[in-house]
Amino acid sequence: MAALARSVLVTGSNRGIGLELVRQLAASPRPPQHIFATCRDPEGPRGKVNAVNLPSIRGAVRAVGSHLKDQGLNLLINNAGVSSHATLRSLDSREMLSAFATNVVGALVSLLQEFLPLLEKAAKGVGKEGLSCSRAAVINISTKLGSIGLCLKVPEAPMYPYRASKAAQNMVTRCMAAELQDKGILCVAIHPGWVKTDMGTEKVLSREQAPLMVEHSVQGILTVLANLSQDTSGAFLDWEGNTLPW
């Protein structure tokens, strides 16, 4: 089996899904030649990519580029983000704006804008055709809680800032897929399942209620990534490869 990609960058990789992605990629029979694991604070329990700090992002781009030379970056996995369980009554504008600043503007738009030249360079590699993670791809870790079509369990888990920002993230993914397809860059949103992680069980529900172990979620995600193609660019999929409504 060929490597999923020659080079992979994972944001929010100090814990949970991000950390497990890095672990399983490194332990795979044909691991990527380069795995870049990014987060804001490797030792901190709340560590994540400093996605709202543009100088920090640009510093990461320079560091990655210096390692990859002329090869470019094949796979960018946007996993960093913040949660919020605010209800209509408890919500304030600062919390909503903070969720959008991190989950949409920082962790998605700004990050992609800065890393786009490295992705474009990889997409132009010799012998690269079609769309795939081995050529150039952006994978945005999303959630079905951001699906307007599903709009699951609103009374039980309103989570206004989180869900609204993830719905916006999904739209950005769809727009990216349409714009970047001709450049040879695949874009997909993936729901990892309800996973036993700090993010997946934070504040409202206990870890024991989440049905999916992080190891199984990531195994599924990596299997899905290996099978992505031009036909699935712009899709919203779950960790088992099922299509979800926007």
Side-chain angles (χ1 to χ4, degrees):
M1 180 183 294
L4 176 64
R6 180 180 180 273
S7 57
V8 182
L9 186 145
V10 183
T11 68
S13 57
N14 70 307
R15 61 175 183 161
I17 291 169
L19 178 58
E20 188 61 24
L21 280 165
V22 171
R23 284 174 174 164
Q24 291 195 26
L25 284 167
S28 62
R30 295 286 301 277
Q33 185 174 343
H34 300 279
I35 302 174
F36 301 97
T38 72
C39 64
R40 184 169 64 184
D41 179 10
E43 303 301 327
R46 306 294 296 176
K48 47 185 171 288
V49 84
N50 202 350
V52 296
N53 186 323
L54 196 54
S56 174
I57 295 173
R58 288 173 175 167
V61 172
R62 289 192 297 270
V64 171
S66 69
H67 283 283
L68 297 178
K69 311 296 183 187
D70 296 328
Q71 298 291 330
L73 177 66
N74 298 114
L75 178 56
L76 172 60
I77 302 178
N78 284 319
N79 171 69
V82 295
S83 183
S84 167
H85 292 269
T87 66
L88 184 60
R89 290 183 179 276
S90 67
L91 175 64
D92 63 45
S93 60
R94 288 175 298 177
E95 188 168 0
M96 180 69 84
L97 289 170
S98 177
F100 271 79
T102 299
N103 294 345
V104 185
V105 180
L108 192 55
V109 177
S110 296
L111 198 72
L112 180 61
Q113 286 174 333
E114 298 300 324
F115 275 100
L116 186 57
L118 291 178
L119 290 161
E120 291 176 331
K121 187 179 293 186
K124 294 175 182 176
V126 177
K128 299 292 183 66
E129 296 181 358
L131 298 181
S132 68
C133 289
S134 62
R135 183 181 182 186
V138 178
I139 306 301
N140 296 321
I141 302 301
S142 183
T143 172
K144 66 181 181 181
L145 291 174
S147 167
I148 294 173
L150 291 175
C151 201
L152 297 173
K153 297 183 178 177
V154 173
E156 290 82 0
M159 303 174 70
Y160 278 81
Y162 180 66
R163 298 177 72 149
S165 64
K166 285 297 185 176
Q169 183 195 76
N170 286 346
M171 175 57 83
V172 173
T173 300
R174 198 77 171 92
C175 292
M176 284 178 176
E179 181 175 354
L180 299 179
Q181 179 170 329
D182 290 343
K183 295 180 180 291
I185 301 173
L186 177 150
C187 299
V188 167
I190 290 192
H191 163 59
W194 183 13
V195 185
K196 294 180 186 294
T197 64
D198 291 340
M199 175 77 83
T201 57
E202 195 172 39
K203 293 184 183 178
V204 169
L205 300 168
S206 70
R207 184 182 295 263
E208 288 69 27
Q209 288 177 279
L212 191 60
M213 297 296 295
V214 66
E215 296 84 358
H216 297 151
S217 170
V218 169
Q219 286 171 8
I221 291 171
L222 292 178
T223 298
V224 171
L225 298 192
N227 289 285
L228 294 178
S229 68
Q230 186 156 337
D231 294 336
T232 47
S233 188
F236 183 17
L237 308 172
D238 69 10
W239 79 100
E240 295 178 309
N242 301 307
T243 300
L244 297 175
W246 295 104

